[in-house]
Amino acid sequence: MGLASDCRNFAFWTLDMLKGGKIKKDVNAIRNFNKATKEIQLQQQTQALDFLLNFAVNNTKYYQQYANFSTLQDFPVVDKNSIKTNFDAITSANQNKDKFTLVSTSGSTGTPFKIYQSSRKKTRNTADTIYFAKLAGYTIGQKLLYLRFWAAYFKKPKLIAFLQNTEQLDVTQLTDKYIKDLLSRLQNDSSEKGLIGYPSGFETICKYLDKVKAAPLDCNMKSIIGIAEGLSPKVKSKMEYYFKNPTVSRYSNVENGIIAQQLPNETSFTINWASYIVEILDLERDVPAKDGEIGRIVITDLYNTATPMIRYDTGDVGCLQTDNENTLPKLKNIEGRKMDVLYKTNGDTLNSFTMHAYVYDFHELEQLQFIQTDEKKYIIKINCKSTFIREQELVSLFKSDIGEDAEVVVEYVNEIRALKSGKRKISVNLYKKTL
């Protein structure tokens, strides 16, 4: 790294040491967990899980009825609504709430949500972030470009951002001029840097670079991490071409933290088993999904004793992949929120990345969105600055993927509205909102 980056790195770890070295200890624990044998990993998980479950039944009104539990599966599956409804009963009654941190989501999917996190959980989250960022190539102290919709979150004060070497980029400001100026700054800055942000923002940047027929950039990018949205193979490939660095997708949420992340040059997601138990349950019932089938991603957060999140339905869907019997499973894929999964006319689910590919197949489109309104009825929303002459080609391609007997209506709009978080969904399911 450079001198400034080295100084920031040294300052971070010195401060942690003065506070007892808690973050360093957790980073080492996570690293050692992932180097251990499967047998040792399961033993450590069992210890952490037993502590959490016993704490919950002894310190919360909601879970006290499960005091005679034998396994994790004796506990109910909960979601945002059930936690909101029973918030006081689920939150620990025997701890000082002044030491809790209130964490809230933007409510981008229509469900504003908040929980408490314990100081132990906050430390663990920091350690998780450092460990998984390192796997992607980022080291504390390097310049970090953070691309998201900042109006939905608390921006860091300028002094804090400067000390942490973070540049906060707003995804809603990605005009051609903004992107041109940004890329110019990056190429004139020789320091090592990382980029984290919404894949839809990455897509906008790549479409600009395509339009100006740019060559690969020399900006010393050491890590690129997509968050909050699915990272399509096309966008991943484009980012790696232009920025000359592996691009990975991270699966995380505000209320828990990093659940899984791709490693460079891998398509599956390495699960953060050191901090979570991950289950894949059937789309309709609280039983395990069949091997290789898509199901609901349900997690147990092993380190939050403030508002224990036991068998928490994240609202996302995916499926597990077991490489061999001697390692814990990975997430083969993450299809996004279950309410946004589209169904083919034969009842099968459509891979969300199929629709993302259309964005590059029809480069003249500004925005594109697919909506399912009934079993075989769909709407394609199109935002195009000029006359779109390939409408029938798009509809035919969509029908070949969704079903030839689909009823497809095309709507032209001036803007496809973004969520409160700044993310813009490529698919919306109005037919099956709950499964």
Side-chain angles (χ1 to χ4, degrees):
M1 298 191 295
L3 178 60
S5 297
D6 286 339
C7 289
R8 286 184 171 92
N9 183 279
F10 177 78
F12 178 89
W13 291 116
T14 299
L15 182 60
D16 178 55
M17 181 183 66
L18 294 174
K19 292 181 177 180
K22 295 179 180 179
I23 297 174
K24 187 70 171 181
K25 291 176 183 176
D26 258 348
V27 170
N28 288 336
I30 296 165
R31 183 183 297 113
N32 291 336
F33 177 94
N34 285 287
K35 289 181 178 180
T37 63
K38 180 180 177 180
E39 181 181 6
I40 293 176
Q41 290 175 332
L42 292 174
Q43 290 174 356
Q44 293 182 6
Q45 272 192 336
T46 299
Q47 292 173 357
L49 180 61
D50 285 348
F51 176 84
L52 173 72
L53 299 182
N54 280 291
F55 181 93
V57 299
N58 289 309
N59 291 275
T60 72
K61 293 180 180 179
Y62 186 82
Y63 287 114
Q64 64 183 7
Q65 61 186 303
Y66 303 100
N68 295 321
F69 74 90
S70 297
T71 69
L72 174 62
Q73 284 64 42
D74 291 331
F75 288 75
V77 175
V78 297
D79 58 15
K80 283 184 172 68
N81 287 330
S82 54
I83 292 177
K84 287 176 64 176
T85 301
N86 301 282
F87 182 72
D88 289 338
I90 290 178
T91 297
S92 172
N94 299 324
Q95 294 185 87
N96 183 359
K97 289 186 174 58
D98 291 339
K99 295 184 178 181
F100 291 168
T101 299
L102 183 64
V103 176
S104 59
T105 69
S106 64
S108 61
T109 58
T111 310
F113 184 61
K114 65 178 183 180
I115 64 158
Y116 284 121
Q117 289 186 348
S118 61
S119 57
R120 178 73 186 89
K121 169 62 179 177
K122 294 295 291 184
T123 299
R124 188 70 175 196
N125 265 359
T126 301
D128 283 336
T129 300
I130 292 170
Y131 176 78
F132 279 93
K134 186 69 175 178
L135 292 182
Y138 177 80
T139 301
I140 285 180
Q142 291 176 347
K143 185 176 185 64
L144 179 64
L145 303 147
Y146 206 150
L147 178 64
R148 72 183 314 167
F149 180 51
W150 286 102
Y153 303 89
F154 293 109
K155 290 188 73 171
K156 295 179 180 181
K158 290 184 179 180
L159 178 59
I160 299 298
F162 170 77
L163 293 173
Q164 294 181 348
N165 209 10
T166 300
E167 183 174 350
Q168 300 168 99
L169 308 173
D170 197 321
V171 72
T172 64
Q173 303 299 316
L174 292 180
T175 62
D176 285 358
K177 183 180 184 306
Y178 185 96
I179 296 172
K180 180 181 179 181
D181 292 343
L182 170 63
L183 297 178
S184 177
R185 292 202 311 274
L186 295 184
Q187 292 182 96
N188 289 326
D189 178 3
S190 61
S191 67
E192 295 180 346
K193 55 186 72 69
L195 172 62
I196 185 170
Y198 297 166
S200 57
F202 296 170
E203 182 181 288
T204 301
I205 292 172
C206 289
K207 289 181 76 173
Y208 167 80
L209 290 167
D210 284 347
K211 183 168 60 176
V212 300
K213 296 179 172 57
L217 308 173
D218 291 318
C219 53
N220 207 7
M221 194 70 69
K222 294 299 182 183
S223 64
I224 306 174
I225 302 172
I227 60 170
E229 303 167 334
L231 175 67
S232 71
K234 193 75 172 184
V235 173
K236 176 183 174 72
S237 175
K238 290 280 186 178
M239 289 293 289
E240 292 178 344
Y241 170 75
Y242 283 119
F243 292 94
K244 298 188 292 188
N245 194 85
T247 299
V248 302
S249 180
R250 173 180 291 174
Y251 175 45
S252 62
N253 60 33
V254 175
E255 58 268 32
N256 299 111
I258 299 175
I259 301 166
Q261 182 178 295
Q262 290 176 331
L263 299 182
N265 304 314
E266 289 190 6
T267 57
S268 60
F269 290 73
T270 295
I271 296 174
N272 186 7
W273 290 111
S275 297
Y276 302 93
I277 302 292
V278 176
E279 301 175 79
I280 303 297
L281 300 186
D282 183 85
L283 291 174
E284 298 183 10
R285 300 176 298 139
D286 292 341
V287 298
K290 295 180 181 178
D291 289 346
E293 286 194 356
I294 291 175
R296 293 173 292 143
I297 300 176
V298 174
I299 69 170
T300 296
D301 190 330
L302 296 174
Y303 286 90
N304 188 12
T305 56
T307 304
M309 302 188 75
I310 300 169
R311 307 195 80 195
Y312 170 57
D313 188 333
T314 63
D316 301 315
V317 296
C319 67
L320 290 177
Q321 168 184 311
T322 302
D323 292 337
N324 62 72
E325 295 181 355
N326 297 319
T327 59
L328 293 173
K330 297 180 179 180
L331 279 168
K332 181 179 180 180
N333 53 36
I334 300 164
E335 294 291 335
R337 304 199 68 78
K338 63 185 180 185
M339 70 178 63
D340 300 329
V341 173
L342 298 191
Y343 287 82
K344 299 180 183 180
T345 57
N346 66 2
D348 294 341
T349 57
L350 178 68
N351 189 314
S352 59
F353 291 139
T354 300
M355 292 169 286
H356 283 281
Y358 298 160
V359 175
Y360 278 96
D361 291 337
F362 299 87
H363 56 84
E364 63 268 45
L365 300 181
E366 297 293 320
Q367 297 168 333
L368 191 60
Q369 187 177 71
F370 300 85
I371 303 172
Q372 183 169 12
T373 60
D374 209 329
E375 184 178 8
K376 297 184 179 182
K377 294 182 178 181
Y378 308 85
I379 296 171
I380 302 178
K381 285 190 176 183
I382 293 173
N383 175 11
C384 186
K385 289 183 178 180
S386 57
T387 302
F388 182 48
I389 62 174
R390 301 170 64 197
E391 176 184 310
Q392 189 55 49
E393 183 183 347
L394 172 60
V395 172
S396 296
L397 183 60
F398 180 62
K399 279 190 172 184
S400 69
D401 290 319
I402 203 76
E404 294 295 343
D405 55 341
E407 299 177 38
V408 181
V409 175
V410 176
E411 292 184 1
Y412 288 88
V413 297
N414 294 325
E415 178 73 15
I416 294 176
R417 183 179 299 180
L419 304 171
K420 291 180 181 179
S421 62
K423 294 175 281 186
R424 186 174 282 106
K425 295 192 286 189
I426 196 162
S427 63
V428 176
N429 191 327
L430 303 179
Y431 164 55
K432 287 186 177 181
K433 284 220 168 186
T434 57
L435 300 169

